[in-house]
Amino acid sequence: MRDRVVAATAMAGALLALGVGAASATAAVGDTSVFAKVAAPGYPAHAYVRPDGRVFEGTYVDPAGEGVPSKVFEYSSTGAPLRSWTVPGQALRAEHGVQVATSDARGRLVLLDRTPARALLLDPETGAFTPYATFPDLKSCPAGDLLVGCELGSDEAPMANYATWLPDGRLLVTDYHQDVIWQVPPGGGRASIWFQSEELVSDGFGGAGIALTGDRRAVLLSQAGNVPSDLRGKLVKIPLLPDLDPGRPQTLWQSGLGDFPDGIAVARSGNVYVALVGLAAQVAKVAPDGREITRFGTPLLGSNGSAIPFDGPSNARFLGTRILVANQSPIFGNRANQAILAIETGEEGVPELIPAGAGDPPRAAAPAPAPAPAARPRLRATASPSRIAVGRRTAVRVRVTAVVDGRRRAVRGARVRLLGRSATTSSSGRATLRVTAARPGAYRLRATRTGHRAGTATVRARR
């Protein structure tokens, strides 16, 4: 019965959302209106549109909010306030706040909490909060070294920011402080690093918005800025490899000084709408090839034709042909401007991917009638040389082996990848990769083959 009620609610909400999109089609592109005011404690950061058209908003860090827990508000698809919930278990004497990042396959909201560094599931039907994930506090990497599993910049506390699902049920979460993208395993648990790059290191202002491209072959990431060396942010495209690991990132677009790109929304056309929470007080529209098409709002002033100007616009989320933008007002703390605004775009967004079973632990496999097959052998990869010079093209010889029937044997047909180059091993398990490292650091060589567990090796680049 519950499943039927949820399905009926989702269908009704979707039809309502379509009606809103059709009604707004008569508006001119760029027309901006006030969708809803956000009640205390204010400081909205991400107006999340669930697939059924309902809108949810969390309250984020209020500088004067010590002792006041965060709240989650619900609105109809027309902006009417419906319900609210108070977040339990926060460290109220520290900076605290939640983002409603996404929802799972059962319609539960995924909340990213600042303090403690965790993710919660909120069931709007019952009001129940359930722990879902934790985010580790990484320690700084040793000076001059780039290692896996440590923080590349200065030592900062975790700050989970935005999230998107991978097709296999993993949840990717950006970390604004620690310059990584986390992956939460299907069903929840302790997060581990999915993506880390020296190019995205920043003090205090890091990875923000994240979304899949329309073809689901890549992840888009907004970067606030490489502070203090570069105050310009960027939009980065990270290809998804066949195993959904990250490929080599590509910078699509770069913002102006102090723009601080934040949340993003992807249209069916491939255009990306980027909220600029910094001094620009605008929302940028970027073409799939990285060209900046236009900006909504007057620079610095934020004037947009509505009763409330842009004041720290921190996200973008499609509702029909409009994008909802949360006005956080992080600099001025103007309560009158803390609202959700709606901008007409004249196009529709890419439907959000929420995999079947997302949010629930994977179902246990039925007992096999026959004995379980032998465990897949793990590949072992070795690289020679294991140290290379920055900027110099070097032939790295790779050998891949695995233990089969108690003996270590060469593996033919293994795929090896390093620094964007790939090759297939010969019958002797050998391959050669000619690579060039642009920066010093430790780079992971990865070997894969069907029927085997992946193997890795580390190649270090030094000046």
Side-chain angles (χ1 to χ4, degrees):
M1 181 65 181
R2 172 184 167 83
D3 290 343
R4 292 182 183 177
V5 171
V6 172
T9 301
M11 182 175 294
L15 291 173
L16 183 57
L18 288 174
V20 171
S24 62
T26 59
V29 171
D31 281 359
T32 303
S33 59
V34 178
F35 178 80
K37 290 290 193 72
V38 177
Y43 291 88
H46 182 205
Y48 172 68
V49 181
R50 204 168 62 174
D52 61 3
R54 290 291 177 88
V55 178
F56 298 88
E57 176 63 69
T59 63
Y60 210 56
V61 175
D62 178 356
E66 182 175 326
V68 179
S70 301
K71 286 191 173 183
V72 175
F73 296 103
E74 180 183 5
Y75 306 89
S76 72
S77 57
T78 59
L82 298 176
R83 297 177 289 179
S84 67
W85 301 265
T86 299
V87 179
Q90 294 183 297
L92 299 181
R93 293 187 177 276
E95 285 192 340
H96 57 280
V98 296
Q99 292 238 79
V100 184
T102 182
S103 56
D104 71 2
R106 289 201 272 160
R108 295 175 297 182
L109 306 178
V110 180
L111 310 182
L112 300 178
D113 199 354
R114 172 75 179 272
T115 312
R118 59 179 178 168
L120 299 172
L121 296 180
L122 166 59
D123 188 339
E125 307 308 317
T126 65
F129 289 84
T130 306
Y132 188 69
T134 57
F135 303 99
D137 186 356
L138 300 175
K139 301 305 177 186
S140 292
C141 296
D145 228 342
L146 174 60
L147 302 173
V148 176
C150 57
E151 189 172 349
L152 303 181
S154 58
D155 191 9
E156 297 181 87
M159 184 177 173
N161 206 0
Y162 289 87
T164 193
W165 295 102
L166 285 178
D168 63 2
R170 282 180 289 170
L171 183 69
L172 298 185
V173 180
T174 60
D175 192 316
Y176 200 60
H177 280 171
Q178 298 191 117
D179 308 312
V180 299
I181 299 178
W182 298 109
Q183 58 180 352
V184 177
R190 182 180 173 88
S192 60
I193 295 174
W194 181 78
F195 177 78
Q196 186 177 32
S197 170
E198 192 176 30
E199 296 178 7
L200 300 183
V201 175
S202 176
D203 286 337
F205 306 91
I210 187 170
L212 292 179
T213 55
D215 59 11
R216 299 176 182 173
R217 295 181 180 178
V219 168
L220 295 175
L221 168 72
S222 66
Q223 167 80 4
N226 290 75
V227 179
S229 62
D230 190 351
L231 294 179
R232 295 175 298 172
K234 62 181 73 171
L235 183 66
V236 178
K237 183 177 183 179
I238 306 172
L240 288 174
L241 302 177
D243 56 3
L244 300 183
D245 276 355
R248 191 171 187 175
Q250 170 195 0
T251 298
L252 289 181
W253 166 81
Q254 198 160 33
S255 77
L257 293 173
D259 281 349
F260 293 131
D262 205 28
I264 59 178
V266 183
R268 290 180 183 270
S269 63
N271 293 329
V272 184
Y273 294 84
V274 187
L276 306 178
V277 75
L279 297 176
Q282 294 174 300
V283 176
K285 179 180 178 180
V286 179
D289 61 3
R291 292 178 299 107
E292 185 173 308
I293 298 172
T294 189
R295 291 193 178 193
F296 303 110
T298 304
L300 302 177
L301 300 177
S303 303
N304 53 36
S306 80
I308 297 178
F310 293 130
D311 182 0
S314 65
N315 88 291
R317 198 83 188 193
F318 270 98
L319 176 62
T321 59
R322 297 181 297 168
I323 52 172
L324 299 187
V325 177
N327 245 5
Q328 193 175 15
S329 191
I331 299 175
F332 302 106
N334 188 338
R335 298 281 186 174
N337 288 348
Q338 289 174 352
I340 302 172
L341 306 180
I343 308 172
E344 177 58 46
T345 68
E347 58 181 338
E348 295 182 343
V350 172
E352 182 183 13
L353 170 66
I354 301 180
D360 290 326
R363 293 184 178 181
R376 295 181 300 159
R378 181 180 292 279
L379 299 178
R380 184 171 77 177
T382 58
S384 178
S386 61
R387 297 177 182 271
I388 62 177
V390 171
R392 180 182 301 170
R393 192 179 187 192
T394 306
V396 177
R397 297 179 297 279
V398 182
R399 186 163 189 263
V400 180
T401 59
V403 175
V404 180
D405 297 330
R407 297 181 60 186
R408 183 163 294 281
R409 303 175 187 271
V411 177
R412 178 181 183 177
R415 193 73 172 171
V416 293
R417 296 193 298 268
L418 174 67
L419 283 168
R421 300 289 182 180
S422 64
T424 302
T425 57
S426 65
S427 58
S428 63
R430 301 179 187 277
T432 299
L433 297 171
R434 301 183 184 279
V435 299
T436 304
R439 294 177 175 78
Y443 296 91
R444 184 174 67 171
L445 182 149
R446 182 177 174 85
T448 56
R449 191 181 190 279
T450 302
H452 295 68
R453 289 181 289 170
T456 61
T458 299
V459 174
R460 299 183 182 277
R462 300 186 182 278
R463 295 192 185 281

